[in-house]
């Protein structure tokens, strides 16, 4: 038996932005409120994660997990009785990761006024195989000028994420070399 070199995986054909674009809608009820009587931010964040996860799974053709929520902006409070629409799409794709952009809109369930934007978010998802290991995903093909702008902005956010992680890692290494142990006590969100 001879050893044969494994041929690289054939490239996965790209998918247009519209192929996985998703809208999730939900009426907010009394069980969704916080102590101020408006909808709890965590409820909105779960809807955002659900919609983004659906987009990531559709684009990648399989399981995808939330790697990070880059930014979540709440513009105005959401009220009980609001019909919330969470619109999500793939903005950018790496080898196994995808940035999903999400816009959150709300309208009164019993009025015919247009929905207004109440929030937005950017999430990074990683496509995984059955063992939870990263797997390759198709590239995204921006279709409109807006899609192209979102793709370019996502590249900027990725560059900033990587630079931030690198700078923090270098700072921690420097402090460790100086004999400073910062890992005692309660860990912060970047303590991984």
């Amino acid at each position: 038996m001879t050893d044969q070199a494994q041929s690289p995986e054939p490239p996965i054909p790209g998918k247009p932005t519209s192929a996985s674009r998703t809208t999730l809608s939900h009426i907010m009820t009394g069980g969704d409120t916080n102590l101020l009587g408006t909808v709890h931010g965590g409820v909105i964040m779960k809807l955002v994660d659900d919609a983004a996860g659906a987009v990531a799974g559709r684009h990648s053709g399989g399981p995808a997990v939330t790697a990070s929520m880059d930014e979540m902006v709440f513009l105005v409070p959401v009220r009980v009785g609001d019909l919330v629409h969470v619109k999500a799409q793939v903005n950018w794709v790496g080898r196994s990761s995808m940035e999903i952009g999400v816009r959150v809109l709300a309208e009164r369930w019993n009025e015919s006024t247009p929905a207004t934007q109440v929030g937005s978010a950017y999430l990074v998802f990683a496509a995984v195989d059955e063992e939870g290991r990263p797997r390759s995903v198709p590239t995204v093909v921006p279709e409109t000028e807006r899609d192209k702008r979102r793709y370019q902005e996502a590249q900027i956010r990725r560059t900033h994420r990587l630079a931030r992680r690198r700078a923090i890692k270098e700072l921690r290494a420097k402090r460790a070399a100086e004999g400073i142990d910062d890992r005692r006590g309660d860990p912060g969100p970047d303590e991984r």
Side-chain angles (χ1 to χ4, degrees), residues 154-165:
Q155 288 178 307
I156 292 168
R157 281 187 292 275
R158 180 177 187 274
T159 299
H160 286 221
R161 272 192 305 275
L162 295 174
R164 183 180 65 231
R165 286 183 192 153

Side-chain angles (χ1 to χ4, degrees), residues 67-111:
S68 70
M69 182 176 277
D70 220 26
E71 182 177 315
M72 178 77 212
V73 177
F74 297 100
L75 301 171
V76 294
V78 176
R79 302 172 294 161
V80 170
D82 280 352
L83 177 57
V84 172
H85 307 285
V86 184
K87 297 177 176 278
Q89 76 170 49
V90 175
N91 288 338
W92 177 89
V93 170
R95 189 186 67 76
S96 63
S97 63
M98 301 160 276
E99 184 195 89
I100 313 298
V102 181
R103 284 186 339 136
V104 183
L105 305 151
E107 61 182 307
R108 294 307 291 168
W109 71 274
N110 59 349
E111 296 176 8

Side-chain angles (χ1 to χ4, degrees), residues 122-169:
Y122 299 102
L123 296 89
V124 177
F125 275 74
V128 294
D129 63 16
E130 302 80 35
E131 285 82 42
R133 293 181 305 236
R135 63 181 174 81
S136 296
V137 296
T139 59
V140 65
V141 180
E143 298 172 279
T144 67
E145 286 305 313
R146 179 180 280 180
D147 293 341
K148 291 174 187 173
R149 175 187 53 79
R150 288 177 176 163
Y151 183 90
Q152 291 169 334
E153 290 173 356
Q155 288 178 307
I156 292 168
R157 281 187 292 275
R158 180 177 187 274
T159 299
H160 286 221
R161 272 192 305 275
L162 295 174
R164 183 180 65 231
R165 286 183 192 153
R166 187 172 42 257
I168 289 170
K169 187 176 181 178

